[in-house]
Amino acid sequence: MTADTSAAAPRQRMRTGDDPDAHLRTNPVKLGIGLVGMIAIVWFLANLFLAFAYYPQWFGNNKFIIGVLAIIGGVGGAALLFYFLNMFVEALPRRLSEGAIPYAFLLPGLLLVALMLIYPTFQTINYSFANADSTAYVGLQNYKTIFADPEFWSSIGNNVLWLLIVPAIVVSFGVIVAVLADKLSATGEKTAKSLVFLPMAISFVGASAIWGLVYAYNNPGQAQTGLLNAIWTGLGGEPQTWLAISTAKLNSILLMVILIWLQVGFAMVLLSSAIKGVPEDTIEAARIDGAGELQIFWRVVIPQIRGTIITVFVTVFITVLKVFDIVYVTTNGAYGTNVIANLFFNKLFAASEAGQATAIVVVLLLAVTPLIWYQIKHFRDEEANR
């Protein structure tokens, strides 16, 4: 019986058409279709988006139509690209296919990152050694010029001031709001958090316009439409051009208020989630030991949400280091409020000094890089400790 069974096995394999070497073979038809399909999709998408930029008249100069076609082309094109990519990989021998699938599906994303981030980074560094119109190299002249410019150092000083004030206040307010909201009823907590988070839905430009109304100035004797001046004159003071008062950096601090207002909701959401994740038994143990609410907060809760606090702080820190919109919309750097990003914008578009502008960007990049490295290291440490 055993011999008959073993002899029947090969015959059964042959009858069912099972090829033991199938996993070692390539399917040339699928391989060719997948390769041609990927090339065709990439060619089509590249030409489509170039046509949007250079030949908008083909689409009736209608931005709505261009936008809809861009969405359809982008989403549909990506789906087709991955379809043909999957076909190409599946046509390879099985062992090679299984090993290549993760890398194949990551490759388009990595190429896009390289195209949008890595290439422009190196090109920016390259242009920082060129002249105003990037037609000839001038060595370190751009760096010498910006480091000798008092406006550059003033902008650096303002950025440092923003960095010292905004992240600390945002994190502090975020913790306070998260803790207090947690003490409310379920409905009250949702309402309070929604109101605090609401500014996050507003762009930096929109927020600057809103707060421009708060800081608005009218001549003495006229009705003060600006909230701050209305309060100030109501208390007996004279109306002030608040954003022009550089004494004690008051105007810069008033601009910081806008960013704080925008970012507190972000900090509150993350910190509230972290606080709710603190094990209740550690809090109960502290209460049994006789600890008060403040002691529990500082010695039990805060140490356990330290990782989230650092994450929020670093994220806001990087945002502050790149702050531009608020300063540009409100003062455009006048009255001693300039920051590095706004200085770069003015050098590039107002002064047409591409070399100096890119040198400023490189300085900003060097300042941000250690923070990004620290944040990545912190994330890895957090994952390792879980």
Side-chain angles (χ1 to χ4, degrees):
M1 291 296 294
T2 304
D4 292 340
T5 303
S6 60
R11 289 197 299 270
Q12 179 66 24
R13 241 191 339 258
M14 294 300 293
R15 282 198 301 268
T16 57
D18 187 10
D19 185 353
D21 297 325
H23 66 285
L24 300 176
R25 296 177 181 173
T26 300
N27 187 326
V29 176
K30 288 182 68 175
L31 195 71
I33 294 174
L35 181 61
V36 172
M38 285 190 292
I39 295 173
I41 291 298
V42 170
W43 178 87
F44 174 76
L45 289 179
N47 282 279
L48 177 65
F49 284 95
L50 286 173
F52 291 156
Y54 293 105
Y55 304 103
Q57 65 273 17
W58 291 359
F59 312 96
N61 289 308
N62 190 311
K63 292 183 179 180
F64 177 77
I65 293 176
I66 292 175
V68 171
L69 290 176
I71 293 172
I72 295 173
V75 175
L80 287 173
L81 177 65
F82 281 105
Y83 173 79
F84 285 114
L85 176 62
N86 185 67
M87 181 184 295
F88 177 85
V89 174
E90 285 184 343
L92 298 172
R94 184 181 301 170
R95 181 175 296 180
L96 179 60
S97 174
E98 291 175 352
I101 279 178
Y103 301 100
F105 279 88
L106 284 173
L107 185 62
L110 294 176
L111 290 176
L112 193 61
V113 169
L115 178 64
M116 297 296 183
L117 293 178
I118 299 176
Y119 170 74
T121 298
F122 284 102
Q123 192 69 293
T124 298
I125 295 172
N126 177 45
Y127 285 153
S128 72
F129 298 105
N131 59 7
D133 55 1
S134 304
T135 56
Y137 288 106
V138 294
L140 296 174
Q141 185 57 48
N142 291 320
Y143 293 94
K144 293 177 182 178
T145 301
I146 64 172
F147 287 135
D149 184 3
E151 185 68 16
F152 174 78
W153 292 108
S154 174
S155 301
I156 290 286
N158 286 332
N159 266 104
V160 170
L161 188 64
W162 280 71
L163 293 172
L164 291 174
I165 294 175
V166 175
I169 293 180
V170 166
V171 172
S172 300
F173 281 7
V175 171
I176 292 170
V177 173
V179 171
L180 294 179
D182 196 45
K183 305 295 183 183
L184 300 173
S185 64
T187 303
E189 180 182 4
K190 291 178 182 178
T191 303
K193 286 183 176 179
S194 297
L195 291 174
V196 174
F197 188 78
L198 190 60
M200 281 291 294
I202 304 173
S203 68
F204 281 21
V205 172
S208 301
I210 291 170
W211 281 85
L213 299 175
V214 175
Y215 300 143
Y217 165 83
N218 287 329
N219 292 323
Q222 296 180 346
Q224 296 300 319
T225 56
L227 177 62
L228 191 55
N229 266 321
I231 296 172
W232 184 252
T233 54
L235 295 173
E238 289 294 319
Q240 303 291 326
T241 51
W242 298 105
L243 297 182
I245 301 175
S246 58
T247 306
K249 290 292 181 180
L250 176 63
N251 47 7
S252 291
I253 292 172
L254 292 176
L255 296 182
M256 295 176 203
V257 170
I258 303 174
L259 187 56
I260 292 169
W261 180 68
L262 286 169
Q263 294 292 304
V264 165
F266 162 75
M268 177 267 300
V269 168
L270 295 185
L271 293 168
S272 177
S273 177
I275 290 171
K276 288 182 181 299
V278 174
E280 190 65 31
D281 54 354
T282 60
I283 297 176
E284 289 300 326
R287 286 184 179 138
I288 292 171
D289 289 340
E293 290 301 318
L294 282 177
Q295 289 176 312
I296 292 173
F297 176 72
W298 287 110
R299 298 184 181 182
V300 178
V301 175
I302 291 296
Q304 295 189 74
I305 65 170
R306 177 177 173 273
T308 305
I309 290 175
I310 292 174
T311 299
V312 173
F313 186 91
V314 173
T315 303
V316 177
F317 196 94
I318 294 173
T319 301
V320 172
L321 195 57
K322 301 182 296 181
V323 67
F324 161 73
D325 314 62
I326 293 172
V327 175
Y328 178 74
V329 171
T330 52
T331 65
N332 195 23
Y335 315 114
T337 60
N338 215 359
V339 290
I340 288 294
N342 192 67
L343 180 63
F344 152 76
F345 182 88
N346 287 330
K347 285 286 187 182
L348 182 60
F349 294 105
S352 298
E353 287 285 352
Q356 293 180 32
T358 50
I360 292 170
V361 169
V362 171
V363 172
L364 186 60
L365 176 65
L366 293 175
V368 171
T369 300
L371 294 169
I372 296 175
W373 173 84
Y374 174 80
Q375 191 172 31
I376 293 173
K377 179 178 180 297
H378 172 68
F379 283 148
R380 287 178 177 173
D381 292 342
E382 287 272 299
E383 290 295 326
N385 293 330
R386 285 184 178 178

